[in-house]
Amino acid sequence: MLQLAAGNKMGPSASIVTVENLEKRFGHFTALSDVNLTVAAGEKIVLCGPSGSGKSTLIRCINHIEKHDAGRIVVDGVELTGRMEDINGVRREVGMVFQSFNLFPHLSVVENCMLAPMKVRGLSRAEAHERAIGLLRKVRIHDQANKYPGQLSGGQQQRVAIARALCMQPKIMLFDEPTSALDPEMVKEVLDTMVELAKDGMTMVCVTHEMGFAREIADRVVFMDRGCIVEEADPETFFRAPRTERARDFLGQIIH
Amino acid sequence: MNSLDFSIVVQAWPYLWSGLLFSLALTAVAFVVGLVLGTCLALVQHFELPVIGRLVRGYVALMRSIPLILVLFWFFFLVPIVLGHLSGNGRPVPIGATWTAFITFGLFEAAYYSEIIRVGLRAVNRGQFEACQALALSTFDTYRSVILPQVLRVASPIILSQTIILFQDTSLVYVLSLTDLLGAASKLAQLNGRLVEMYLVIAVVYLAISSAASQCVASLRKRYAIAGR
Amino acid sequence: MFAVLLEQTADGQRYIDWLVSGLGWTLALAFFGWWIAFAVGVVVGIGRTVQNRAVAALARLYVEIFRNIPVLVQMFLWYFVLPELLPTALGNAIKQIPPPWGSFFPALVCLGLYTAARIAEQVRAGIEALPKGQVEAASALGLSGYLTYRHVIVPQALRLIIPSLTSEVMGIYKNTSVALTIGLMELTAQARQISEATFQTFTAFGAATLVYLALALIAYQGMALIDRAVRIPGTGRAENAVEPTATRVAQQVGSLPDAMEVVK
């Protein structure tokens, strides 16, 4: 097991995220129990499962937006305990895209992308601007750079959110149901952006129900139910021949 | 720095107590008069009555724009004249500072309460009016039994917060040389020279009363927030 | 009706000069008091929302004390009581400050700190009304607590509470009249003095009332201007993405839709 040999920095094929025996409770409700997951550099993982299965909680724990109660999370060689320096250090390397975009409404599109690189990475305004425009171009929204989030459609906002996360040059991107809050006609533009990102070699963990997307880019599909990882397989196997009853039910529901 | 001697407060307590009672009485009267009159003013505006509606709006805007102390001065000067005109012989009727204070606070607070209730009226769901029409309730019954109870209930935390401010504002009758809690303390302080002790003690009394009342309003607000969910 | 204002006073001025000088003190008190109130209020309001228990408790204590003692009593505490509680030399030095500054400074501190407690509550409500996702997004980008407040939370919260701040602006200029109780000859005091000197009570109070009305109008329009100037494109107030936020603020501040938190 590579992650046990974890020094501080590891080779390119080493794991970027290691989750061991993770537990998370909200009051009496157990959101995650005994979750183990390893994400290698360059790997694309799709997390799926019924609502309330703990998939969002899992990726929120990886970014320490939720505090876990037991188990270990190691991100890029740093274990997430309670120490703020570690947490902020890790967050710099982990990009996150939210279901509800969470763009900063009082900042223009390009300012949204420049804030963290300037304040956290210490880039000059010019450098941050150049990087922001470059990435906005990549998600094909650079012509809207000076508009405000409220003036954009949901799909456009989500693409800005992706660009904002990329501006920190993260080692891994987490996506928390990035298309669930979108009108159907906007889902594709966001998925296309994510596919491109995947083809560029970005390490990605995506919580999504877009099974076409999972088939196209996922190296592994991880199926969760009631706070546990129930099944892990390559997409071909998972969709063709799910091993567990619960996964079959789930697929039956979303594919009709 | 002189040494403080709070034993003086024990002696002074009966006088301070009577002052506090005056403050509370003024608050209570202004609350009742203000709320009743304020509700009427709000309804007049709500029904958009032609001339009187604009007059009321002007009155409310005026009261909300000038300091309470100036309002007190105005009423202290105007009320005797107006009463004189009403009594017919045209000579000002001196009524004294106490009555002036009660009248002023009642009329002044009415403007503030009316604003709270007016906004509350606007927030009532249209469906409530339609339901009353469907039940063939008269306008009077609609407002008395359906609309106003809802408005008062929703607005009650704000009305009560406003009443706490009102209680604190009664201290301004100091400018009319009345003997409310602050007036009593100030008069005693002039007699015995212990103004540090006097003002500190009444500050604590005001703090305790307002703070306790605020806590009650906060818990009320929380209960409503849950009930309304 | 206002002709009397142009008449000569005993000291060789005209009565209108008294009013103008009163207006000057009122404006000075309101203007400088506002900046004290705003600065302290934002800091205390933020303090009420931070994780650190001790800081939050101190901020809460501040608000409780300064909001629950009548402003007139606070005025007396600063003017009469504070110099007595300080070491004798310092207390005497304060008492020696010549008028009108001896009244102006206590009034300034009093109004500033009193209004700050009220602003702090608005700021807190504004911060608590922001969607949780904003803080999460900021954390996910690696912004520290300070940076999150500085660049994400406070700029949005302040925009959200502009309507309630309008009534605080109106509140502070009206409360300047309380300073007459410690001998500052501001606008209301000058009006009363003119009334006593000329027996033209209608004229004296009427003139002051008109001036206060004009001030109210200016304050209101000024804040509306600021509101428009800092409005975020693509978000009408209480529309769009911030809608749930704005309504929640309305409930928490206790300000019904158009800034009902009332002050005198």
Side-chain angles (χ1 to χ4, degrees):
Chain A
M1 298 235 307
L2 262 171
Q3 68 272 19
L4 291 183
N8 227 353
K9 291 288 167 199
M10 291 165 288
S13 65
S15 72
I16 287 199
V17 175
T18 304
V19 174
E20 286 174 1
N21 310 96
L22 191 68
E23 260 191 65
K24 169 74 191 170
R25 288 180 294 274
F26 295 106
H28 292 298
F29 177 72
T30 304
L32 294 174
S33 74
D34 197 28
V35 169
N36 293 279
L37 182 72
T38 315
V39 185
E43 203 176 11
K44 291 105 183 97
I45 290 181
V46 164
L47 277 174
C48 63
S51 61
S53 58
K55 49 200 192 313
S56 287
T57 308
L58 173 57
I59 69 168
R60 287 162 68 87
C61 282
I62 294 174
N63 211 0
H64 211 263
I65 288 176
E66 305 285 358
K67 249 193 232 153
H68 54 287
D69 295 307
R72 291 178 73 215
I73 300 176
V74 182
V75 180
D76 194 29
V78 179
E79 175 164 359
L80 287 179
T81 54
R83 286 182 57 223
M84 230 29 233
E85 304 95 273
D86 289 353
I87 293 166
N88 277 332
V90 162
R91 282 170 172 165
R92 255 172 255 167
E93 309 302 331
V94 179
M96 177 129 183
V97 175
F98 299 85
Q99 180 177 351
S100 50
F101 329 136
N102 292 346
L103 292 178
F104 304 132
H106 62 300
L107 300 178
S108 69
V109 163
V110 69
E111 287 165 346
N112 260 280
C113 296
M114 290 162 64
L115 178 64
M118 282 167 60
K119 299 297 171 186
V120 180
R121 290 264 194 236
L123 263 62
S124 73
R125 178 163 276 277
E127 290 167 328
H129 190 266
E130 191 188 331
R131 184 185 287 181
I133 293 293
L135 285 160
L136 287 169
R137 179 166 290 128
K138 187 176 167 63
V139 301
R140 280 187 289 278
I141 202 152
H142 53 283
D143 50 335
Q144 317 272 2
N146 292 316
K147 287 200 176 167
Y148 284 80
Q151 297 170 305
L152 304 183
S153 73
Q156 292 174 319
Q157 289 192 48
Q158 194 61 298
R159 284 186 283 147
V160 173
I162 293 171
R164 177 176 73 175
L166 290 175
C167 280
M168 289 294 283
Q169 301 187 323
K171 298 206 166 113
I172 176 172
M173 288 281 284
L174 308 175
F175 291 84
D176 186 3
E177 305 205 30
T179 56
S180 310
L182 295 176
D183 293 334
E185 70 271 18
M186 294 171 187
V187 170
K188 188 172 176 304
E189 61 184 71
V190 172
L191 288 180
D192 286 349
T193 306
M194 290 168 64
V195 168
E196 253 175 67
L197 194 58
K199 290 190 173 153
D200 289 350
M202 175 60 75
T203 312
M204 294 163 72
V205 178
C206 313
V207 173
T208 181
H209 291 161
E210 297 294 336
M211 291 304 139
F213 170 79
R215 254 180 226 276
E216 188 176 349
I217 65 113
D219 298 311
R220 243 185 316 156
V221 175
V222 174
F223 174 70
M224 292 184 70
D225 192 20
R226 291 176 223 162
C228 301
I229 291 180
V230 178
E231 203 170 324
E232 267 188 80
D234 64 276
E236 206 46 47
T237 318
F238 180 76
F239 290 117
R240 192 168 33 82
R243 286 196 312 276
T244 57
E245 185 74 22
R246 283 192 264 174
R248 270 196 293 280
D249 286 352
F250 172 72
L251 286 173
Q253 274 165 19
I254 60 165
I255 300 178
H256 303 295
Chain B
M1 181 168 138
N2 303 317
S3 58
L4 296 182
D5 174 16
F6 282 97
S7 68
I8 196 84
V9 175
V10 179
Q11 282 172 27
W13 185 248
Y15 192 58
L16 290 179
W17 175 248
S18 70
L20 176 60
L21 287 182
F22 180 83
S23 298
L24 291 171
L26 184 54
T27 306
V29 170
F31 171 70
V32 173
V33 173
L35 197 56
V36 171
L37 194 61
T39 306
C40 298
L41 295 183
L43 286 173
V44 166
Q45 292 180 73
H46 186 66
F47 287 128
E48 292 172 0
L49 300 180
V51 179
I52 190 164
R54 305 188 77 171
L55 281 177
V56 166
R57 191 153 301 167
Y59 172 79
V60 172
L62 181 66
M63 286 295 157
R64 283 165 57 88
S65 302
I66 64 177
L68 179 50
I69 291 183
L70 185 57
V71 178
L72 281 166
F73 288 164
W74 261 124
F75 276 70
F76 194 60
F77 160 71
L78 273 184
V79 169
I81 295 177
V82 172
L83 283 180
H85 275 286
L86 289 180
S87 70
N89 68 4
R91 300 259 301 274
V93 181
I95 55 163
T98 308
W99 278 103
T100 306
F102 279 96
I103 295 171
T104 307
F105 271 90
L107 295 179
F108 182 80
E109 290 301 321
Y112 280 83
Y113 287 126
S114 87
E115 201 61 4
I116 297 172
I117 292 166
R118 186 179 65 84
V119 177
L121 280 170
R122 244 180 16 199
V124 172
N125 192 326
R126 279 216 60 77
Q128 295 293 313
F129 291 97
E130 287 164 6
C132 291
Q133 280 171 352
L135 292 168
L137 288 179
S138 69
T139 306
F140 179 78
D141 284 332
T142 300
Y143 278 88
R144 204 196 64 131
S145 311
V146 180
I147 306 299
L148 282 178
Q150 291 185 41
V151 170
L152 289 177
R153 193 184 147 84
V154 172
S156 61
I158 306 172
I159 291 175
L160 292 176
S161 304
Q162 176 61 31
T163 309
I164 296 170
I165 299 176
L166 158 63
F167 170 65
Q168 294 184 23
D169 280 343
T170 58
S171 62
L172 293 178
V173 298
Y174 170 86
V175 300
L176 299 180
S177 305
L178 286 174
T179 311
D180 69 322
L181 181 55
L182 175 61
S186 134
K187 282 170 191 171
L188 285 176
Q190 276 162 22
L191 284 179
N192 62 22
R194 313 297 306 195
L195 82 184
V196 173
E197 290 87 342
M198 285 298 155
Y199 289 147
L200 281 177
V201 162
I202 61 155
V204 170
V205 173
Y206 277 115
L207 176 62
I209 295 176
S210 300
S211 188
S214 302
Q215 295 305 318
C216 294
V217 175
S219 67
L220 189 75
R221 202 176 283 232
K222 218 169 277 170
R223 270 218 332 253
Y224 277 8
I226 292 164
R229 220 160 261 165
Chain C
M1 165 181 176
F2 291 114
V4 67
L5 292 178
L6 299 174
E7 285 173 15
Q8 289 276 315
T9 65
D11 60 1
Q13 288 182 304
R14 291 168 307 169
Y15 289 113
I16 194 164
D17 297 329
W18 290 9
L19 274 185
V20 169
S21 128
L23 174 62
W25 288 111
T26 292
L27 286 178
L29 208 47
F31 181 80
F32 294 110
W34 172 258
W35 289 111
I36 295 175
F38 188 71
V40 177
V42 169
V43 171
V44 174
I46 290 171
R48 288 212 59 182
T49 65
V50 298
Q51 302 271 323
N52 187 321
R53 291 254 178 92
V55 173
L58 270 180
R60 169 142 195 221
L61 187 68
Y62 177 93
V63 170
E64 284 294 321
I65 290 177
F66 283 89
R67 214 175 48 154
N68 284 320
I69 298 177
V71 65
L72 175 50
V73 176
Q74 290 189 38
M75 200 69 89
F76 283 4
L77 292 181
W78 288 108
Y79 185 71
F80 292 118
V81 176
L82 182 71
E84 305 294 336
L85 295 182
L86 292 172
T88 316
L90 186 55
N92 284 338
I94 290 178
K95 285 187 236 173
Q96 312 273 287
I97 300 175
W101 301 105
S103 304
F104 180 78
F105 287 120
L108 183 67
V109 173
C110 169
L111 285 180
L113 296 186
Y114 171 78
T115 311
R118 304 184 51 87
I119 292 177
E121 280 305 89
Q122 317 277 17
V123 170
R124 176 183 67 93
I127 289 175
E128 286 177 355
L130 291 180
K132 250 179 65 196
Q134 292 293 308
V135 176
E136 289 178 358
S139 316
L141 288 168
L143 293 177
S144 65
Y146 166 75
L147 288 172
T148 303
Y149 270 102
R150 165 74 183 77
H151 293 286
V152 177
I153 299 179
V154 174
Q156 291 188 61
L158 288 184
R159 283 182 170 89
L160 217 51
I161 61 169
I162 286 177
S164 349
L165 287 184
T166 305
S167 62
E168 298 308 330
V169 171
M170 315 251 292
I172 200 169
Y173 89 76
K174 282 184 280 177
N175 278 329
T176 54
S177 65
V178 177
L180 72 82
T181 59
I182 57 170
L184 187 72
M185 291 307 286
E186 46 64 69
L187 188 53
T188 302
Q190 291 288 9
R192 184 170 62 168
Q193 185 171 273
I194 294 171
S195 149
E196 279 162 4
T198 63
F199 299 105
Q200 302 285 326
T201 309
F202 252 115
T203 305
F205 291 169
T209 300
L210 288 179
V211 174
Y212 279 117
L213 276 175
L215 288 183
L217 205 67
I218 292 168
Y220 185 80
Q221 295 294 344
M223 290 301 280
L225 213 67
I226 292 174
D227 189 25
R228 248 171 286 141
V230 303
R231 180 166 296 170
I232 304 160
T235 57
R237 178 166 294 291
E239 277 164 29
N240 256 341
V242 254
E243 152 128 75
T245 323
T247 21
R248 245 182 305 154
V249 137
Q251 287 162 3
Q252 288 182 351
V253 182
S255 59
L256 287 165
D258 58 353
M260 281 300 313
E261 185 81 340
V262 275
V263 206
K264 271 152 279 174

